[in-house]
Amino acid sequence: MSDEELLAWYAELQARALNPQPGDVDFDHVHKAADPLSVDQLRHRLMTFQGWPGGLSTLDSGSPFHNLWHWISD
């Protein structure tokens, strides 16, 4: 995925997190905006998502995209 494609995907994910629409199975409540990330920081967060502290068992029972949003933005 090119840098531009990654940033476009991230912008779409953030838009969904900030303004969830009725029926969105990934985001059922509003989230705060994430701090800006460089492309390298974003790629690192995505590549280390499996490394969530405590393992995947500590993730919310909800959508993987919802959990990914928290991993990237928290």
Side-chain angles (χ1 to χ4, degrees):
M1 180 179 286
S2 71
D3 290 353
E4 293 80 18
E5 290 170 321
L6 179 61
L7 292 173
W9 171 84
Y10 181 56
E12 182 179 327
L13 184 69
Q14 179 160 243
R16 288 178 61 202
L18 296 177
N19 187 26
Q21 300 299 305
D24 188 327
V25 298
D26 299 314
F27 296 100
D28 60 359
H29 59 276
V30 175
H31 294 77
K32 67 176 183 69
D35 291 334
L37 295 174
S38 70
V39 172
D40 289 338
Q41 289 171 314
L42 182 55
R43 287 189 190 282
H44 177 75
R45 290 278 178 119
L46 291 171
M47 290 188 303
T48 60
F49 181 52
Q50 294 285 332
W52 188 281
L56 293 177
S57 64
T58 64
L59 294 176
D60 295 339
S61 59
S63 160
F65 285 107
H66 183 252
N67 290 321
L68 178 61
W69 174 254
H70 282 283
W71 176 249
I72 291 171
S73 66
D74 290 347

